[in-house]
Each structure stands twice: as C-alpha cells, then as structure tokens.
Short mmCIF file of all heavy atoms in Angstrom, two decimals:
data_model
loop_
_atom_site.label_atom_id
_atom_site.label_comp_id
_atom_site.label_asym_id
_atom_site.label_seq_id
_atom_site.Cartn_x
_atom_site.Cartn_y
_atom_site.Cartn_z
N SER A 1 11.27 7.99 5.40
CA SER A 1 11.73 9.33 5.73
C SER A 1 10.92 10.41 5.06
O SER A 1 10.45 11.38 5.75
CB SER A 1 13.23 9.52 5.35
OG SER A 1 13.65 10.85 5.69
N ALA A 2 10.62 10.28 3.79
CA ALA A 2 9.79 11.20 3.06
C ALA A 2 8.38 11.18 3.60
O ALA A 2 7.72 12.28 3.67
CB ALA A 2 9.83 10.90 1.57
N PHE A 3 7.87 10.02 3.93
CA PHE A 3 6.54 9.85 4.45
C PHE A 3 6.38 10.61 5.79
O PHE A 3 5.42 11.37 6.03
CB PHE A 3 6.19 8.38 4.66
CG PHE A 3 4.94 8.06 5.41
CD1 PHE A 3 3.68 8.32 4.81
CD2 PHE A 3 5.03 7.59 6.65
CE1 PHE A 3 2.50 8.05 5.53
CE2 PHE A 3 3.83 7.27 7.40
CZ PHE A 3 2.63 7.51 6.83
N ARG A 4 7.31 10.36 6.70
CA ARG A 4 7.22 11.02 8.05
C ARG A 4 7.32 12.54 7.89
O ARG A 4 6.63 13.29 8.63
CB ARG A 4 8.39 10.46 8.88
CG ARG A 4 8.07 9.01 9.37
CD ARG A 4 9.05 8.64 10.55
NE ARG A 4 8.87 7.32 10.96
CZ ARG A 4 7.95 6.91 11.87
NH1 ARG A 4 7.16 7.80 12.39
NH2 ARG A 4 7.91 5.66 12.27
N GLN A 5 8.19 13.00 7.03
CA GLN A 5 8.29 14.41 6.81
C GLN A 5 6.97 15.05 6.29
O GLN A 5 6.57 16.11 6.72
CB GLN A 5 9.44 14.75 5.84
CG GLN A 5 9.75 16.20 5.67
CD GLN A 5 10.94 16.44 4.76
OE1 GLN A 5 11.58 15.48 4.22
NE2 GLN A 5 11.29 17.68 4.54
N GLN A 6 6.36 14.34 5.40
CA GLN A 6 5.14 14.88 4.79
C GLN A 6 4.01 14.94 5.83
O GLN A 6 3.28 15.90 5.90
CB GLN A 6 4.67 13.98 3.60
CG GLN A 6 3.50 14.55 2.92
CD GLN A 6 3.12 13.79 1.67
OE1 GLN A 6 1.94 13.53 1.34
NE2 GLN A 6 4.13 13.44 0.90
N ILE A 7 3.82 13.86 6.65
CA ILE A 7 2.75 13.88 7.60
C ILE A 7 3.00 14.83 8.75
O ILE A 7 2.05 15.42 9.30
CB ILE A 7 2.44 12.43 8.14
CG1 ILE A 7 3.59 11.84 8.93
CG2 ILE A 7 2.01 11.50 6.97
CD1 ILE A 7 3.23 10.55 9.65
N LYS A 8 4.28 14.99 9.09
CA LYS A 8 4.60 15.98 10.13
C LYS A 8 4.19 17.36 9.79
O LYS A 8 3.68 18.05 10.61
CB LYS A 8 6.12 15.91 10.41
CG LYS A 8 6.56 16.83 11.56
CD LYS A 8 8.05 16.75 11.83
CE LYS A 8 8.49 17.68 12.94
NZ LYS A 8 9.96 17.58 13.13
N SER A 9 4.35 17.75 8.49
CA SER A 9 3.96 19.06 8.04
C SER A 9 2.46 19.31 8.10
O SER A 9 2.00 20.39 8.05
CB SER A 9 4.47 19.31 6.64
OG SER A 9 3.76 18.49 5.70
N LYS A 10 1.72 18.20 8.21
CA LYS A 10 0.25 18.24 8.28
C LYS A 10 -0.31 18.03 9.68
O LYS A 10 -1.51 17.89 9.89
CB LYS A 10 -0.42 17.25 7.27
CG LYS A 10 -0.10 17.57 5.84
CD LYS A 10 -0.77 16.60 4.94
CE LYS A 10 -0.50 16.93 3.44
NZ LYS A 10 -1.08 18.22 3.04
N GLY A 11 0.64 17.97 10.66
CA GLY A 11 0.14 17.76 12.03
C GLY A 11 -0.28 16.37 12.31
O GLY A 11 -1.06 16.10 13.23
N LEU A 12 0.26 15.36 11.58
CA LEU A 12 -0.09 14.00 11.76
C LEU A 12 1.15 13.18 12.36
O LEU A 12 2.26 13.69 12.24
CB LEU A 12 -0.51 13.38 10.45
CG LEU A 12 -1.59 14.07 9.67
CD1 LEU A 12 -1.79 13.34 8.35
CD2 LEU A 12 -2.89 14.18 10.45
N GLU A 13 0.81 12.04 12.94
CA GLU A 13 1.94 11.16 13.34
C GLU A 13 1.62 9.76 12.96
O GLU A 13 0.49 9.33 12.85
CB GLU A 13 2.09 11.34 14.88
CG GLU A 13 0.85 10.94 15.69
CD GLU A 13 1.04 11.23 17.17
OE1 GLU A 13 2.03 11.91 17.55
OE2 GLU A 13 0.22 10.74 17.99
N TYR A 14 2.69 8.96 12.86
CA TYR A 14 2.57 7.57 12.45
C TYR A 14 2.96 6.61 13.55
O TYR A 14 3.95 6.82 14.25
CB TYR A 14 3.49 7.33 11.21
CG TYR A 14 3.54 5.91 10.73
CD1 TYR A 14 2.43 5.35 10.11
CD2 TYR A 14 4.70 5.10 10.92
CE1 TYR A 14 2.48 4.02 9.68
CE2 TYR A 14 4.72 3.77 10.44
CZ TYR A 14 3.60 3.25 9.77
OH TYR A 14 3.64 1.92 9.38
N HIS A 15 2.13 5.55 13.72
CA HIS A 15 2.41 4.53 14.71
C HIS A 15 2.47 3.22 14.03
O HIS A 15 1.53 2.75 13.40
CB HIS A 15 1.27 4.51 15.75
CG HIS A 15 1.18 5.77 16.56
ND1 HIS A 15 1.80 5.95 17.77
CD2 HIS A 15 0.54 6.96 16.28
CE1 HIS A 15 1.49 7.18 18.24
NE2 HIS A 15 0.76 7.82 17.34
N GLU A 16 3.64 2.56 14.10
CA GLU A 16 3.82 1.29 13.45
C GLU A 16 3.23 0.17 14.26
O GLU A 16 3.30 0.12 15.46
CB GLU A 16 5.34 1.02 13.27
CG GLU A 16 5.64 -0.29 12.51
CD GLU A 16 7.12 -0.50 12.32
OE1 GLU A 16 7.71 0.10 11.38
OE2 GLU A 16 7.74 -1.17 13.20
N LEU A 17 2.50 -0.73 13.58
CA LEU A 17 1.96 -1.95 14.23
C LEU A 17 2.88 -3.15 14.00
O LEU A 17 3.02 -3.97 14.90
CB LEU A 17 0.61 -2.22 13.66
CG LEU A 17 -0.47 -1.18 14.02
CD1 LEU A 17 -1.81 -1.44 13.27
CD2 LEU A 17 -0.78 -1.29 15.55
N THR A 18 3.41 -3.32 12.79
CA THR A 18 4.29 -4.51 12.51
C THR A 18 5.07 -4.23 11.27
O THR A 18 4.84 -3.24 10.56
CB THR A 18 3.39 -5.75 12.40
OG1 THR A 18 4.28 -6.87 12.27
CG2 THR A 18 2.55 -5.68 11.14
N LYS A 19 5.99 -5.13 10.96
CA LYS A 19 6.78 -5.05 9.73
C LYS A 19 6.57 -6.39 8.99
O LYS A 19 6.19 -7.38 9.54
CB LYS A 19 8.24 -4.91 10.02
CG LYS A 19 8.66 -3.47 10.44
CD LYS A 19 10.24 -3.43 10.42
CE LYS A 19 10.69 -1.98 10.62
NZ LYS A 19 10.48 -1.46 11.93
N ALA A 20 6.73 -6.27 7.66
CA ALA A 20 6.46 -7.50 6.82
C ALA A 20 7.38 -7.42 5.55
O ALA A 20 7.82 -6.37 5.18
CB ALA A 20 5.04 -7.56 6.46
N PRO A 21 7.60 -8.51 4.89
CA PRO A 21 8.36 -8.59 3.67
C PRO A 21 7.42 -8.31 2.40
O PRO A 21 6.26 -8.23 2.53
CB PRO A 21 8.82 -10.00 3.60
CG PRO A 21 7.74 -10.80 4.32
CD PRO A 21 7.23 -9.89 5.42
N LEU A 22 8.10 -8.13 1.30
CA LEU A 22 7.40 -7.98 0.04
C LEU A 22 7.17 -9.36 -0.60
O LEU A 22 7.97 -10.24 -0.43
CB LEU A 22 8.25 -7.11 -0.96
CG LEU A 22 8.14 -5.58 -0.73
CD1 LEU A 22 9.06 -4.96 -1.81
CD2 LEU A 22 6.74 -5.07 -0.92
N TYR A 23 6.10 -9.43 -1.40
CA TYR A 23 5.78 -10.67 -2.11
C TYR A 23 5.50 -10.29 -3.62
O TYR A 23 5.02 -9.22 -3.91
CB TYR A 23 4.62 -11.34 -1.56
CG TYR A 23 4.90 -12.17 -0.31
CD1 TYR A 23 4.96 -11.52 0.95
CD2 TYR A 23 4.99 -13.59 -0.35
CE1 TYR A 23 5.28 -12.31 2.04
CE2 TYR A 23 5.30 -14.29 0.79
CZ TYR A 23 5.40 -13.62 2.05
OH TYR A 23 5.63 -14.37 3.11
N LEU A 24 5.77 -11.24 -4.49
CA LEU A 24 5.32 -11.15 -5.86
C LEU A 24 4.15 -12.11 -5.99
O LEU A 24 4.18 -13.27 -5.70
CB LEU A 24 6.44 -11.59 -6.82
CG LEU A 24 5.98 -11.73 -8.22
CD1 LEU A 24 5.67 -10.35 -8.87
CD2 LEU A 24 7.05 -12.44 -9.09
N PHE A 25 2.98 -11.59 -6.45
CA PHE A 25 1.75 -12.35 -6.62
C PHE A 25 1.59 -12.67 -8.08
O PHE A 25 1.60 -11.76 -8.96
CB PHE A 25 0.53 -11.49 -6.15
CG PHE A 25 0.61 -11.24 -4.67
CD1 PHE A 25 1.19 -10.10 -4.19
CD2 PHE A 25 0.09 -12.15 -3.74
CE1 PHE A 25 1.22 -9.82 -2.79
CE2 PHE A 25 0.12 -11.94 -2.39
CZ PHE A 25 0.74 -10.73 -1.91
N VAL A 26 1.53 -13.94 -8.45
CA VAL A 26 1.36 -14.42 -9.80
C VAL A 26 0.33 -15.50 -9.92
O VAL A 26 0.09 -16.25 -9.01
CB VAL A 26 2.77 -14.89 -10.37
CG1 VAL A 26 3.71 -13.72 -10.46
CG2 VAL A 26 3.27 -15.98 -9.49
N GLY A 27 -0.20 -15.64 -11.13
CA GLY A 27 -1.09 -16.71 -11.47
C GLY A 27 -0.34 -17.80 -12.24
O GLY A 27 0.82 -17.66 -12.55
N LYS A 28 -1.07 -18.85 -12.67
CA LYS A 28 -0.41 -19.95 -13.32
C LYS A 28 0.15 -19.65 -14.72
O LYS A 28 0.95 -20.43 -15.28
CB LYS A 28 -1.49 -21.09 -13.47
CG LYS A 28 -1.86 -21.68 -12.10
CD LYS A 28 -2.82 -22.83 -12.25
CE LYS A 28 -3.20 -23.39 -10.85
NZ LYS A 28 -4.19 -24.51 -10.93
N ASN A 29 -0.28 -18.55 -15.30
CA ASN A 29 0.31 -18.16 -16.59
C ASN A 29 1.62 -17.43 -16.45
O ASN A 29 2.24 -17.10 -17.48
CB ASN A 29 -0.69 -17.24 -17.37
CG ASN A 29 -1.96 -17.94 -17.73
OD1 ASN A 29 -1.90 -19.06 -18.23
ND2 ASN A 29 -3.10 -17.38 -17.58
N SER A 30 2.05 -17.16 -15.30
CA SER A 30 3.33 -16.44 -15.10
C SER A 30 4.49 -17.42 -15.19
O SER A 30 4.44 -18.52 -14.67
CB SER A 30 3.40 -15.73 -13.72
OG SER A 30 4.70 -15.33 -13.47
N PRO A 31 5.57 -17.03 -15.87
CA PRO A 31 6.75 -17.92 -15.96
C PRO A 31 7.49 -18.14 -14.59
O PRO A 31 8.25 -19.01 -14.45
CB PRO A 31 7.71 -17.13 -16.91
CG PRO A 31 7.27 -15.72 -16.83
CD PRO A 31 5.76 -15.77 -16.62
N LEU A 32 7.06 -17.32 -13.58
CA LEU A 32 7.67 -17.41 -12.24
C LEU A 32 6.78 -18.24 -11.25
O LEU A 32 7.14 -18.37 -10.10
CB LEU A 32 7.97 -16.06 -11.70
CG LEU A 32 8.87 -15.14 -12.51
CD1 LEU A 32 9.07 -13.78 -11.80
CD2 LEU A 32 10.26 -15.78 -12.66
N TYR A 33 5.68 -18.81 -11.75
CA TYR A 33 4.69 -19.38 -10.86
C TYR A 33 5.21 -20.47 -9.94
O TYR A 33 4.85 -20.57 -8.81
CB TYR A 33 3.49 -19.90 -11.67
CG TYR A 33 2.42 -20.49 -10.82
CD1 TYR A 33 1.49 -19.58 -10.18
CD2 TYR A 33 2.21 -21.90 -10.69
CE1 TYR A 33 0.48 -20.14 -9.40
CE2 TYR A 33 1.21 -22.37 -9.92
CZ TYR A 33 0.36 -21.51 -9.28
OH TYR A 33 -0.67 -22.08 -8.49
N ARG A 34 6.15 -21.25 -10.45
CA ARG A 34 6.69 -22.39 -9.73
C ARG A 34 7.92 -22.07 -8.86
O ARG A 34 8.43 -22.90 -8.16
CB ARG A 34 7.02 -23.56 -10.66
CG ARG A 34 5.81 -24.05 -11.47
CD ARG A 34 6.11 -25.31 -12.19
NE ARG A 34 4.91 -25.86 -12.93
CZ ARG A 34 3.93 -26.50 -12.38
NH1 ARG A 34 3.96 -26.80 -11.10
NH2 ARG A 34 2.89 -26.84 -13.09
N LYS A 35 8.28 -20.80 -8.84
CA LYS A 35 9.38 -20.41 -8.01
C LYS A 35 8.98 -20.37 -6.54
O LYS A 35 7.93 -20.02 -6.18
CB LYS A 35 9.84 -19.00 -8.44
CG LYS A 35 10.40 -18.91 -9.86
CD LYS A 35 11.82 -19.42 -9.91
CE LYS A 35 12.46 -19.20 -11.24
NZ LYS A 35 13.88 -19.71 -11.33
N LYS A 36 9.95 -20.79 -5.67
CA LYS A 36 9.66 -20.72 -4.24
C LYS A 36 10.02 -19.30 -3.65
O LYS A 36 9.52 -18.92 -2.67
CB LYS A 36 10.51 -21.76 -3.51
CG LYS A 36 10.05 -23.20 -3.85
CD LYS A 36 10.86 -24.21 -3.03
CE LYS A 36 10.33 -25.65 -3.36
NZ LYS A 36 11.09 -26.65 -2.57
#
C-alpha cells in the first residue's frame, strides 16, 4: 500500500509478474541449517 502510494505520486505504475514466498538463507555454521 505504501509502495503504490509513493510511486503514484511520481507518475509511476506497478505491474506484478508473480508472487513468491520468503526464505531464510543460511550456511552450514547456522544452527538452523538442517531445518526443513
């Protein structure tokens, strides 16, 4: 909502291509590395 309001004030528009989930990226030293 804040993003669309900001770009509208600048004469811009947004076109969505797709949606996706968030991920946590970790290396082998992370205590969460083996989590699914």
Side-chain angles (χ1 to χ4, degrees):
S1 178
F3 169 73
R4 288 192 182 277
Q5 185 176 0
Q6 184 173 140
I7 65 171
K8 182 179 179 181
S9 69
K10 295 182 179 295
L12 308 176
E13 59 185 13
Y14 176 69
H15 297 264
E16 183 179 277
L17 291 171
T18 188
K19 283 189 171 74
L22 280 178
Y23 282 79
L24 172 69
F25 296 91
V26 294
K28 293 181 179 179
N29 291 318
S30 169
L32 301 178
Y33 183 77
R34 298 190 180 280
K35 295 282 186 180
K36 292 184 178 180

